[in-house]
Amino acid sequence: MGEILRLLLDPLQYAFMVRGLVAAIVAGGLCALVGSYVVLRGMAFFGDALAHSILPGLALGYLLGGGSREALFWWGLGTAILAALGIGALSRGQRLKEDTAIGVLFAGAMALGVVMISTSRSYAVDLTHLLFGDVLGVGERDLIRLGVFAGLIVAAIVLFYKEFLVISFDPILAITLRLPIRLFENLLLILVAVTVVVALQTVGIALMVAMLVTPAATAYLLTHRLPAMMALSVLLAAFSAVVGLYASYYAGVASGAAIVLTATVLFLIVRLIQGLRSVQG
């Protein structure tokens, strides 16, 4: 028991580990909460496209802001909102299929971002940082900003819970109730965009879609009630954040990747158990 306690407490003697742990739990839980709508509405590809489409904004933030976290955040946030609304508009087109339009946009945006970052001599290191995150580099100001935006996103979900529920499960009922469907769809896209940028430092662009989808998908396998799914996905994401961060500390591996792998293992375990039960039944 004493050895286990030592293993749990030793990493917490470092301030960067404490900040990283808090950031990973909050960001992971936020991704899981918003990710419940992403999974239910079949928006996983949208989330992936959005995460990659903000790279040009991050590149501008890096080039114009000297690489400061504030510049990266605000440029990334503006680009994410524009990209979300743009992808949403393309998705409503009739001539191209949704996945085709989204694929063209995010591939082009990703390439543009890489070209812009490559103009810097140190682009290789900085691109790695953007792609895979740096949760252990979270500062106090980053935590405050994360907490503020997480609170705003949670407040929006609570305030418009019924509207989001209706447009997600029964669009015909939404039309009957004369809800401004386009307005709430755009608002949901913006919430996903803000979540991506807020949680970017935790797992990076390349792994962001995993935190949006995997905990929520695991919860979806266990329950089909939205409130329970949201609560369970947040718990699974927080657990993945803690286990992944401790694993990265003791194994010396990338923190974001360890968090995502933990969430993936949980999903596979749940899926395997359900598969065995269905065979036995």
Side-chain angles (χ1 to χ4, degrees), residues 15-16 19-20 23 69 134-140 142-143 201-202:
F16 69 87
R19 290 194 299 267
R69 296 188 188 279
D134 182 24
V135 66
L136 297 181
V138 172
E140 293 182 1
D142 299 320
L143 276 181
Q201 191 172 359
T202 307

Side-chain angles (χ1 to χ4, degrees), residues 23-42:
I25 291 173
V26 174
L30 187 62
C31 285
L33 183 66
V34 176
S36 297
Y37 290 111
V38 172
V39 170
L40 288 175
R41 293 173 62 87

Side-chain angles (χ1 to χ4, degrees), residues 41 43 46 84-85 88-89 91-92 163-164 166-168 171 174-175 179-192:
R41 293 173 62 87
M43 295 167 59
F46 168 83
L85 296 178
S91 301
R92 300 185 188 102
E163 289 79 1
F164 289 149
V166 173
I167 66 171
S168 296
I175 296 174
L179 292 177
I181 299 176
R182 185 67 57 83
L183 174 64
F184 285 112
E185 285 183 344
N186 286 336
L187 178 58
L188 186 56
L189 296 181
I190 290 173
L191 290 180
V192 175

Side-chain angles (χ1 to χ4, degrees), residues 91-113:
S91 301
R92 300 185 188 102
Q94 299 299 319
R95 299 193 54 152
L96 285 177
K97 290 186 177 181
E98 179 182 23
D99 60 341
T100 303
I102 292 176
V104 170
L105 181 62
F106 100 77
M110 180 75 175
L112 176 61

